[in-house]
Amino acid sequence: MMRGKQSWIPVLVLGAADLAQRGLDYSTGDTPKTGAFLSRIERGLALEWWGVLCILAAGIVLAGVVWKSTRTLATGAICSAAVYAGLAAGRVGELILAGWPPDGWRSAVHFSIMAAIWCYAAGMLSLRDAIEKDREERRGERATRIANRRAT
């Protein structure tokens, strides 16, 4: 089932590890010193819940790797993209509210790029899943035709 995407596996695992470590960091809470650097979106939800979202998304990706399931990998990639897109939106919002010149744009760009990478992975994995299903159906149809020919 995972044919043709073995080269993606290390990248997906590293991306999931990055998201999981962010989730572990969020799950430990914050101090007043670090809380001052959180975006409005990050403050809108308890950091522990951001940690849960990050860890769940990473877990879905890793489950897809372990189960060799393209659909599960694609679902994990979509969840990862959603988490990073939320974080990016919060950082971009902070930049807009802060005025000119922008300060702290590195996080906004990083989160946006990570969301785009996960979106790309989700798209490619979803396409791969559709191709795999089409091949399975065609194999089944071909086997049925061959069996019908032999029966006559």
Side-chain angles (χ1 to χ4, degrees):
M1 192 179 218
M2 299 267 290
R3 238 174 330 154
K5 69 178 163 298
Q6 284 80 8
S7 61
W8 278 76
I9 300 301
V11 175
L12 295 170
V13 169
L14 287 172
D18 178 57
L19 192 56
Q21 66 83 27
R22 179 173 297 283
L24 289 173
D25 181 46
Y26 282 149
S27 295
T28 60
D30 66 334
T31 65
K33 191 178 192 181
T34 58
F37 297 105
L38 299 176
S39 72
R40 291 179 195 276
I41 286 183
E42 289 170 309
R43 289 189 307 258
L45 187 64
L47 274 186
E48 292 80 7
W49 283 108
W50 277 107
V52 168
L53 292 173
C54 290
I55 292 168
L56 280 174
I60 294 169
V61 171
L62 294 175
V65 170
V66 170
W67 295 334
K68 297 182 178 176
S69 168
T70 307
R71 182 172 288 172
T72 305
L73 276 169
T75 301
I78 290 167
C79 293
S80 300
V83 169
Y84 273 117
L87 294 170
R91 294 295 177 185
V92 169
E94 292 296 318
L95 287 175
I96 291 169
L97 293 174
W100 193 260
D103 186 34
W105 53 271
R106 172 184 36 139
S107 294
V109 171
H110 171 74
F111 291 152
S112 297
I113 289 171
M114 292 303 291
I117 289 169
W118 281 111
C119 279
Y120 178 78
M124 292 297 103
L125 289 164
S126 296
L127 181 61
R128 186 71 191 157
D129 185 53
I131 290 168
E132 288 173 356
K133 290 198 179 333
D134 183 61
R135 285 182 180 163
E136 286 174 18
E137 286 178 22
R138 288 179 186 211
R139 258 187 235 119
E141 290 170 4
R142 199 174 309 134
T144 302
R145 279 195 309 264
I146 291 170
N148 288 340
R149 282 185 208 151
R150 289 183 181 165
T152 56

